[in-house]
Amino acid sequence: MGGIQQNGAMEYLLLTDRSNIYYPAHELGTLEPHMPRPKEFNPDDAIEKAMQVFWHKGYEATSMEDLLSAMDLNRGSLYDTFGDKRTLFLKVIDRYCTTFAGPKFSLLDQPGPALPTLRHFINGMIEGGLADPQRRGCLIANTVMELSPHENEIAGTLRQAIHRIEETFFKVLTRAKEQGELTQDKDPRALARFLTTMMQGIIVMIKAGASAEVVKQTAETALSILG
Amino acid sequence: MGGIQQNGAMEYLLLTDRSNIYYPAHELGTLEPHMPRPKEFNPDDAIEKAMQVFWHKGYEATSMEDLLSAMDLNRGSLYDTFGDKRTLFLKVIDRYCTTFAGPKFSLLDQPGPALPTLRHFINGMIEGGLADPQRRGCLIANTVMELSPHENEIAGTLRQAIHRIEETFFKVLTRAKEQGELTQDKDPRALARFLTTMMQGIIVMIKAGASAEVVKQTAETALSILG
DNA sequence: TAGTGTGTGGAATGAGCGTTCCATAATGAC
DNA sequence: GTCATTATGGAACGCTCATTCCACACACTA
């Protein structure tokens, strides 16, 4: 059951230079002569706001009232545009993966020395996590912990997201080995899985209120395994 | 605000050999000539049942209805004996730490070779986590992720629990170093923090549905850091 | 056996939840 | 200006939530 649309992020197209006027993309090729009244809000911005709320409070603890006021729109518009709470949450997860986490991980694809890039990436992630005054951690990890055992569809999406993280680590570690930055006895697959798990652990510790010193020392210890 | 009682676990004393008859401990020394009607349930067993539900579903997603049917008692008895939902949850957390997690960690205090004991402990924890068909993970980690950012009191309790884990690892690693199982360049404090974080990460991965192979390989990689 | 006080079971409460619906406002096409 | 169509804002719905309350059952004392 469910009917999640295949790609919420591309449902709307910007037509004019006025930043908050949008039309449903599926209307563009029809015989319909009339253009509907434009939305007064930017759906992408609204999803972004919803993401912040879910990220901060989690799925269950976030009420539609919370979303309504954070997204600054009314019930009718929210339900017409994004569907119900669960559907909106799926779109939020999608957006978090594609426009938030994805670009950060793509930094690892850059050519050049692999291990310094990897270390820089992980330290940056930790700095970011510690700098957040709300210690929200990572929306993917938060949702795994809250919903994975009960929501199979969401669990599948999250498994894919985590697998993409492992693959990104695997690619950069394989490159490191090819470039002689990693000794021959090292297994990029095992190390990729290790780093993926380590990142999740660090997120938990950050949410638990661990000090910057402890988290950074732990990351150093973990990275020492690269040799 | 809140009024959590200092130690719910010791509130009741077993008086007879009939296993489900209990009296409030604070009544025993009073002038009261009458003994009240005994409870028909065992409060410890009831807390145990409540723990299973919170562990499986999390705090927000667990309803009083869920608790009532799992604990097999009625509203009046639940509220009279355990207080409201939040108070009951605090008692559950306390019980999880003292009678569930605590004894497992105390296995690490045994004399003899330290590192094999440590490896055995960690592998056992992973086997246990993987064997749980519900993949509930760890109540402490689950609660950190769900409530830490919003519930200061609970967050403090969880921080203490995690600190005790670190201390237990620290003790066994210090012993390992003293016994020559760990080379002199290793830092027991850093390694204890590393293992604590790693355990949290493994819990997330288990909840995310990672395969036994992946989790075990990851643990092996992590433990290889001990030398 | 009578009296006392607590446990039990279930009804009742009021607040908050996610969701639906509709009169009205506003827009672009003609 | 008129029409068609959509967005808006808010009222209203049915449900579930945590919690309170009370008549009754029961155990123990005297």
Side-chain angles (χ1 to χ4, degrees):
Chain A
M1 48 188 106
I4 279 66
Q5 289 160 6
Q6 44 271 43
N7 191 347
M10 285 292 106
E11 174 99 8
Y12 292 87
L13 285 181
L14 186 58
L15 283 192
T16 77
D17 44 288
R18 284 189 287 162
S19 66
N20 59 345
I21 309 287
Y22 291 81
Y23 289 105
H26 55 75
E27 297 266 4
L28 291 177
T30 69
L31 305 173
E32 202 59 51
H34 289 289
M35 284 301 206
R37 174 181 170 191
K39 288 184 192 302
E40 290 183 6
F41 63 94
N42 180 328
D44 274 350
D45 290 351
I47 285 264
E48 173 75 26
K49 302 257 183 61
M51 186 178 86
Q52 300 297 335
V53 183
F54 279 127
W55 194 358
H56 177 55
K57 306 189 74 173
Y59 179 77
E60 294 278 0
T62 296
S63 68
M64 293 303 284
E65 214 64 41
D66 293 333
L67 293 167
L68 253 23
S69 66
M71 299 166 84
D72 197 30
L73 40 85
N74 56 64
R75 292 181 147 66
S77 301
L78 198 160
Y79 278 91
D80 283 356
T81 310
F82 303 107
D84 63 11
K85 185 185 178 185
R86 190 170 173 281
T87 307
L88 171 61
F89 186 69
L90 284 163
K91 293 180 181 181
V92 161
I93 293 280
D94 191 62
R95 181 181 177 84
Y96 183 87
C97 292
T98 56
T99 78
F100 186 83
K104 295 198 171 176
F105 277 95
S106 69
L107 293 174
L108 292 173
D109 290 333
Q110 293 170 345
L115 288 196
T117 304
L118 178 57
R119 288 173 193 277
H120 182 260
F121 167 81
I122 288 178
N123 289 328
M125 196 210 70
I126 289 172
E127 293 286 356
L130 289 168
D132 177 6
Q134 302 178 111
R135 297 271 181 130
R136 291 170 303 176
C138 161
L139 181 59
I140 297 172
N142 296 357
T143 310
V144 162
M145 295 297 273
E146 184 182 359
L147 300 181
S148 261
H150 314 99
E151 286 276 357
N152 284 337
E153 181 182 7
I154 294 177
T157 303
L158 298 171
R159 251 197 307 276
Q160 285 173 32
I162 291 176
H163 187 69
R164 281 196 297 273
I165 295 174
E166 181 189 314
E167 287 306 309
T168 308
F169 282 141
F170 177 68
K171 268 162 59 185
V172 73
L173 288 164
T174 301
R175 197 154 56 80
K177 195 168 177 179
E178 287 166 359
Q179 294 174 177
E181 299 172 73
L182 217 50
T183 56
Q184 281 304 313
D185 61 308
K186 297 285 194 292
D187 177 358
R189 177 59 65 188
L191 289 175
R193 289 171 175 172
F194 167 77
L195 289 180
T196 305
T197 301
M198 198 62 210
M199 262 191 46
Q200 307 303 324
I202 284 175
I203 288 161
V204 176
M205 294 303 284
I206 287 177
K207 289 203 82 166
S211 72
E213 181 220 336
V214 168
V215 175
K216 287 177 182 174
Q217 183 190 47
T218 301
E220 280 307 307
T221 307
L223 287 172
S224 74
I225 212 171
L226 300 177
Chain B
M1 45 193 108
I4 279 71
Q5 287 159 7
Q6 44 270 43
N7 192 348
M10 285 293 107
E11 176 96 10
Y12 292 87
L13 285 181
L14 186 59
L15 283 192
T16 79
D17 46 342
R18 282 190 287 162
S19 67
N20 59 346
I21 309 288
Y22 292 82
Y23 290 105
H26 54 74
E27 297 267 4
L28 291 177
T30 69
L31 304 173
E32 202 59 51
H34 292 288
M35 285 300 206
R37 174 180 168 190
K39 288 184 192 299
E40 292 182 4
F41 61 95
N42 180 327
D44 273 350
D45 289 351
I47 286 264
E48 173 73 27
K49 303 257 182 63
M51 187 178 86
Q52 300 297 335
V53 181
F54 279 127
W55 194 357
H56 177 53
K57 304 188 76 171
Y59 180 77
E60 295 279 0
T62 296
S63 68
M64 293 304 284
E65 213 65 41
D66 293 334
L67 294 167
L68 254 23
S69 67
M71 299 165 82
D72 197 29
L73 40 85
N74 57 65
R75 290 179 150 70
S77 303
L78 198 160
Y79 277 92
D80 283 354
T81 310
F82 303 107
D84 63 11
K85 183 184 176 184
R86 190 172 172 282
T87 306
L88 171 60
F89 186 69
L90 284 164
K91 294 180 181 183
V92 161
I93 293 278
D94 191 61
R95 181 182 177 83
Y96 183 88
C97 292
T98 56
T99 78
F100 185 84
K104 294 201 172 175
F105 276 95
S106 69
L107 293 174
L108 292 174
D109 290 333
Q110 293 170 344
L115 287 197
T117 304
L118 178 58
R119 288 173 193 276
H120 182 259
F121 169 81
I122 288 178
N123 288 329
M125 195 211 71
I126 289 172
E127 293 286 354
L130 289 169
D132 178 5
Q134 301 178 114
R135 295 272 179 129
R136 291 170 303 176
C138 160
L139 182 59
I140 297 171
N142 296 356
T143 310
V144 163
M145 295 297 273
E146 184 182 357
L147 299 180
S148 261
H150 313 99
E151 287 276 356
N152 284 337
E153 181 183 8
I154 294 176
T157 303
L158 298 171
R159 250 197 307 277
Q160 285 174 33
I162 291 175
H163 187 69
R164 281 196 298 272
I165 295 174
E166 182 189 314
E167 287 306 308
T168 307
F169 281 141
F170 177 68
K171 268 163 57 187
V172 72
L173 288 164
T174 301
R175 196 154 55 82
K177 195 169 176 180
E178 287 167 1
Q179 295 175 177
E181 299 173 73
L182 218 50
T183 57
Q184 281 303 315
D185 60 309
K186 297 285 195 290
D187 176 358
R189 178 59 65 189
L191 288 176
R193 289 171 176 172
F194 167 78
L195 288 180
T196 306
T197 301
M198 198 63 211
M199 262 189 45
Q200 307 302 325
I202 285 175
I203 288 160
V204 176
M205 294 303 283
I206 287 176
K207 289 202 81 164
S211 72
E213 180 219 338
V214 167
V215 175
K216 289 177 181 174
Q217 183 190 47
T218 300
E220 279 309 306
T221 306
L223 287 172
S224 73
I225 212 171
L226 300 177

